[in-house]
Amino acid sequence: MNKIAFVVGHDIKEQGAFSFHLKKTEFVYHSEVASHLPFDIYWRNPDIKGYKSKMQDLANRINKQDYSAVIELHFNSATPTANGCEALFFGGSAIGKRWSQVYVDKIVQAYGMRNRGVLAITSESQRGYWFLKLMKAPAIILEPFFGSNPESLKFEDTKKYAEELVKIFC
């Protein structure tokens, strides 16, 4: 089995997007998903200010271990018509790109979703840059659905989604 670390996106003070369909924030939803995962789970420190500083603290804790990959759990939010699954990886990481592609392909198949593909993050101005850059192991950010779209209800069963993650990353 791969040694994988999962990070619950956002934190208790800054919970990320809210899904009116799931009636949960990203943080609450993914905390529930994480409770079903047999991997090491990390959370951002809510007392640290600023995204980059939070990611530096997270990397300092995670990089002490020898992980095969580090994966952060998120979901997208936009207009109600936005839909589909995507994953982000640090540009130039062939392993990160491969993990991202496998994840997107498997989730699209399992849930019957639009494939939005994988996105290489190469600039500080892009979302997730510091998380992806600072991890010693290949890192990816999972965005399985848009919480603003009714399609998010396909993911209502957090245990089922966790089981899909286990199938993909074990």
Side-chain angles (χ1 to χ4, degrees):
M1 183 159 92
N2 292 306
K3 187 173 180 188
I4 307 283
F6 274 82
V7 176
V8 174
H10 303 284
D11 62 55
I12 193 72
K13 291 182 181 175
E14 298 173 351
Q15 295 196 11
F18 181 81
S19 171
F20 287 98
H21 302 285
L22 297 172
K23 299 188 180 20
K24 296 175 186 171
T25 63
E26 287 181 84
F27 178 75
V28 169
Y29 177 81
H30 288 298
S31 292
E32 291 175 16
V33 171
S35 74
H36 301 294
L37 294 173
F39 302 107
D40 293 346
I41 307 296
Y42 291 85
W43 284 266
R44 296 179 186 180
N45 183 337
D47 296 325
I48 295 176
K49 302 292 183 215
Y51 172 70
K52 184 178 178 182
S53 296
K54 285 183 186 209
M55 294 305 103
Q56 288 170 326
D57 171 72
L58 193 60
N60 287 338
R61 290 184 280 134
I62 291 173
N63 289 342
K64 291 177 183 174
Q65 302 293 317
D66 192 24
Y67 289 109
S68 305
V70 181
I71 300 163
E72 192 167 47
L73 302 168
H74 285 275
F75 63 72
N76 280 318
S77 187
T79 65
T81 57
N83 64 359
C85 174
E86 65 186 7
L88 290 63
F89 67 97
F90 192 69
S93 172
I95 295 170
K97 182 177 182 179
R98 182 170 43 88
W99 279 112
S100 296
Q101 193 63 62
V102 168
Y103 167 78
V104 169
D105 290 346
K106 297 284 186 181
I107 293 300
V108 163
Q109 181 181 22
Y111 287 93
M113 315 213 21
R114 176 178 164 221
N115 185 336
R116 295 177 60 90
V118 300
L119 178 62
I121 302 300
T122 58
S123 164
E124 287 181 43
S125 64
Q126 292 176 287
R127 62 189 167 130
Y129 176 82
W130 288 111
F131 171 78
L132 297 168
K133 178 175 177 47
L134 293 172
M135 296 302 147
K136 179 174 70 173
I140 64 174
I141 297 173
L142 309 182
E143 303 271 11
F145 59 85
F146 281 78
S148 50
N149 187 298
E151 182 177 64
S152 62
L153 289 169
K154 292 180 178 182
F155 291 82
E156 190 170 24
D157 184 344
T158 57
K159 185 175 182 184
K160 179 183 178 215
Y161 178 52
E163 289 168 354
E164 292 296 328
L165 293 173
V166 170
K167 284 190 236 176
I168 294 166
F169 293 107
C170 276

